[in-house]
Amino acid sequence: MRLSVKHIFPFLLAAFFTACTNSAREGAGILVKMGERELTIGELRANMPQGLSQADSTRIARAYIRSWIDTKLMSEYGAEAIGDMAEIDRLTEQYRNQLIAYEYRRRIIAAETSNAFSPDSLKAFYDANAGMFVARQPLVRGIYIKIPEDASNLKTIKKLYKSNKLDDIDRLEKECLDAAVHYDYFKDRWVEWDQIDSRIPVDLSVNPDGLLRVKKEYETVSDGFVYLLYISDYIPTGRTLPFEAASDQIVQELTFRRQADLDREMRRQLLKEASEKGTVEIFCDLDS
């Protein structure tokens, strides 16, 4: 009995097993057999993305099965045509060794760099290397609101969202909880401009630095919604980032440096131990 691919995925491949009770081969979950090689339903399931529709599952499953067949056929006929497989075997062994070494180093380094950096170490690195951290686009602080055009408290919200008084900010939050679709208060953190620009149904990305120099408030109406934006502060493109805005980049840079140091030390230590045991003998000068 041939198994239709479209019947494999609607219930996480359960239909396959129900449909294949008439033969031992199908009961074992084999989709394709080529000599001693077999493609099983388990392998197909393991290589399928999650959350697909039935139509997408069918399409991707068919593509995977066909790719499996093509690869195996190409490999089989290619081996016969090439004949001498010594070079292929050498490259395969080399690639295998590289994969093992990479995975081993990755695991060791990941374990050693899992601890967070202290705030003092982050600040010290920033103070010594502030010139490394430059704004690639404007960074802004402020308030963003999306609210229905017919909201009963829209006038009140328009009066409050530009105020810096604590009482007005508290009241604004309460008003927005009742009516706004989106309310984002980011006066206490720096946000990259494209995260704000992407929320507004008008392209403001042509010259954002020029816009922010002259305009701190922005209001537009689209599809029944009012968009309100108030910029309380901004950092122009090319300016050195303040410490709080650069902290994520600092962590990335320190992590990279720690990984490089660990990798270098690990390789040095492994070579030292292997040399002492006589596992490796070096007959050339490796020092630069």
Side-chain angles (χ1 to χ4, degrees):
M1 181 180 69
R2 291 173 60 85
L3 179 64
S4 174
V5 172
K6 69 180 180 179
H7 293 139
I8 296 177
F9 287 93
F11 301 102
L12 295 177
L13 309 169
F16 172 83
F17 297 105
T18 7
C20 296
T21 54
N22 295 333
S23 74
R25 175 174 298 173
E26 291 169 341
I30 299 171
L31 293 171
V32 183
K33 185 174 177 63
M34 190 180 300
E36 298 301 317
R37 301 173 180 177
E38 298 174 345
L39 173 62
T40 66
I41 198 73
E43 179 182 341
L44 181 61
R45 181 193 289 114
N47 286 276
M48 289 293 293
Q50 300 296 314
L52 296 175
S53 66
Q54 180 174 342
D56 287 341
S57 295
T58 301
R59 176 177 56 81
I60 293 175
R62 283 175 174 155
Y64 184 89
I65 294 169
R66 182 54 192 266
S67 175
W68 187 92
I69 294 170
D70 290 346
T71 300
K72 296 298 183 291
L73 285 174
M74 196 70 69
S75 173
E76 181 177 329
Y77 284 97
E80 292 178 2
I82 293 172
D84 182 8
M85 295 292 290
E87 179 63 10
I88 298 296
D89 292 340
R90 184 188 70 79
L91 292 173
T92 300
E93 178 66 14
Q94 179 182 350
Y95 183 55
R96 178 178 181 274
N97 290 336
Q98 289 173 346
L99 285 177
I100 293 172
Y102 170 81
E103 181 61 17
Y104 174 67
R105 291 160 69 182
R106 186 193 67 79
R107 293 188 182 192
I108 295 296
I109 290 171
E112 292 293 333
T113 57
S114 59
N115 296 328
F117 297 97
S118 69
D120 288 345
S121 65
L122 297 179
K123 188 61 168 62
F125 185 84
Y126 173 81
D127 291 340
N129 302 276
M132 292 177 56
F133 307 105
V134 176
R136 294 165 292 185
Q137 60 175 296
L139 274 74
V140 294
R141 285 174 166 170
I143 292 178
Y144 163 79
I145 301 169
K146 176 183 177 181
I147 186 170
E149 190 177 8
D150 59 359
S152 60
N153 59 349
L154 179 57
K155 288 185 178 180
T156 302
I157 288 175
K158 284 185 177 182
K159 291 179 181 178
L160 295 172
Y161 86 105
K162 291 177 283 188
S163 174
N164 290 316
K165 296 178 181 179
L166 292 178
D167 290 344
D168 288 343
I169 293 172
D170 289 341
R171 185 181 172 193
L172 173 66
E173 183 173 354
K174 293 174 183 176
E175 295 284 347
C176 287
L177 286 174
D178 291 336
V181 175
H182 291 148
Y183 170 69
D184 188 2
Y185 178 92
F186 54 97
K187 285 186 176 182
D188 55 353
R189 70 185 192 278
W190 291 106
V191 176
E192 291 187 332
W193 173 248
D194 61 5
Q195 296 182 37
I196 303 301
D197 180 43
S198 63
R199 302 180 188 181
I200 299 174
V202 177
D203 187 6
L204 302 176
S205 62
V206 177
N207 182 18
D209 285 295
L211 173 71
L212 291 168
R213 274 195 300 269
V214 298
K215 195 175 182 66
K216 305 302 181 187
E217 306 159 15
Y218 189 84
E219 177 181 336
T220 189
V221 180
S222 177
D223 296 329
F225 291 97
V226 177
Y227 297 81
L228 302 172
L229 175 64
Y230 174 68
I231 303 300
S232 59
D233 196 8
Y234 93 102
I235 300 171
T237 304
R239 182 76 58 82
T240 298
L241 296 173
F243 171 70
E244 61 270 22
S247 58
D248 288 344
Q249 294 182 41
I250 297 170
V251 170
Q252 291 175 4
E253 180 65 24
L254 287 177
T255 300
F256 174 78
R257 295 189 180 199
R258 181 186 285 181
Q259 289 175 342
D261 289 342
L262 285 169
D263 183 61
R264 186 163 46 250
E265 176 58 23
M266 181 173 63
R267 289 186 285 110
R268 188 196 67 78
Q269 187 62 33
L270 287 175
L271 178 57
K272 179 175 180 293
E273 292 178 4
S275 298
E276 292 173 350
K277 293 177 181 178
T279 307
V280 60
E281 296 180 84
I282 299 173
F283 302 101
C284 59
D285 186 5
L286 293 180
D287 295 328
S288 56

